[in-house]
Structures are given as C-alpha cells and as structure tokens.
Amino acid sequence: MTDRELMVLAEQARERSYSPYSHFCVGAALLTKDGNVYTGCNIENAAYTPTNCAERTAFFKAVSEGERDFEAIAIVGGKRGTVAPFCAPCGVCRQVMAEFCKEDFKVILGNSARLSVHSLGELLPYSFTESDLF
Ligand code: THU
C-alpha cells in the first residue's frame, strides 16, 4: 500500500462525512502493520460536542476490532465541494494517535494530488503517554 493509495481511500471515506453543521468534510484511512485499512469520516451532532473527527472514527473502528499496531494514517479535508491542500489533525486526534503509536508513526496529509508526509513525533512533541503515569 503506497502513501498515495492510502490517501485515495481517505478521499473515498470523506464522501461519507456527516457534517451538516460545519460543512467541513474530513476522511481518514488508517493502515495497520499487518496491511489492514480502517477508514473513517467526521460525524457531527446537533449538540456539537459529541462530534467525532475522521481520524478518531478510524482509530476507534480499528481498536474495537482488535488492532493495536499501526503504520500510517492519511487524512484529507476541506469545505464540502473543495479539497484543502492541507488538513492537519486536531490536538485531540493527535493525542489518540499517541496512545497507540510511537513517534515514527506516519501521518500523510494533503490530498492524492500532493502528499505531505510527517511523523507523529513531529506533530506532537513531548506527548503525555502511559509512561508518564507510572
Ligand atoms: N475535523 C476532523 O474530522 N478532523 C480533524 O482533525 C479536524 C476537524 C472535523 C470535526 C468537525 O466535524 C469539522 O471537521 C470541523 O471542525
């Protein structure tokens, strides 16, 4: 699975975005070390705070199916009808990534026409993790 192929899956997942309030549509595709892919979209709510980001939808689908080892995630977003050149994951989603992934976890941003590849360590330095609790 190439970075671009993963991004194409994120773009397809984005088509299922439920975002009637922000009209901002996000898709994600999460690749496990075994080569499985779990996709997600953002799911909004009239009460706003129950909204779930695309990245967390993908992570929670994967973890709930027993996955624990992740290689990369592709994320694409933008106002409905347009694709932003770059849609960075929010802080909460970065924290969820840090729960399950090391600093070398690959975060692929942009869109299938132009990828921007990062690491979780770059996006969330000095993260608070399980090791801080013990
Ligand atoms: N959103 C995501 O899905 N992922 C992010 O990392 C940033 C924000 C969604 C949440 C909400 O439905 C919409 O984008 C606008 O914030």
Side-chain angles (χ1 to χ4, degrees):
M1 169 80 48
T2 66
D3 292 354
R4 183 159 275 103
E5 285 169 342
L6 196 62
M7 180 58 81
V8 169
L9 294 176
E11 289 173 339
Q12 290 169 359
R14 181 177 179 249
E15 291 168 18
R16 295 190 286 275
S17 166
Y18 177 75
S19 42
Y21 307 107
S22 74
H23 310 290
F24 192 87
C25 305
V26 185
L30 176 62
L31 177 66
T32 71
K33 291 207 189 263
D34 288 342
N36 299 323
V37 176
Y38 293 82
T39 59
C41 62
N42 56 328
I43 304 169
E44 297 188 345
N45 189 283
Y48 291 2
T49 53
T51 292
N52 207 54
C53 289
E55 301 90 319
R56 277 177 289 141
T57 302
F59 264 93
F60 296 159
K61 282 171 67 178
V63 172
S64 67
E65 294 297 323
E67 302 282 6
R68 289 291 187 279
D69 300 316
F70 301 105
E71 186 77 28
I73 190 169
I75 304 162
V76 61
K79 278 275 173 194
R80 183 169 295 116
T82 68
V83 178
F86 189 91
C87 176
C90 79
V92 173
C93 289
R94 294 179 200 205
Q95 184 66 27
V96 168
M97 292 176 200
E99 183 67 27
F100 297 103
C101 309
K102 302 282 178 230
E103 292 189 338
D104 63 351
F105 177 67
K106 196 193 279 191
V107 183
I108 306 158
L109 304 177
N111 54 65
S112 58
R114 184 167 182 161
L115 304 177
S116 177
V117 181
H118 304 267
S119 69
L120 180 58
E122 181 190 339
L123 296 179
L124 189 65
Y126 306 107
S127 60
F128 185 89
T129 62
E130 182 186 17
S131 62
D132 293 293
L133 291 172
F134 302 104

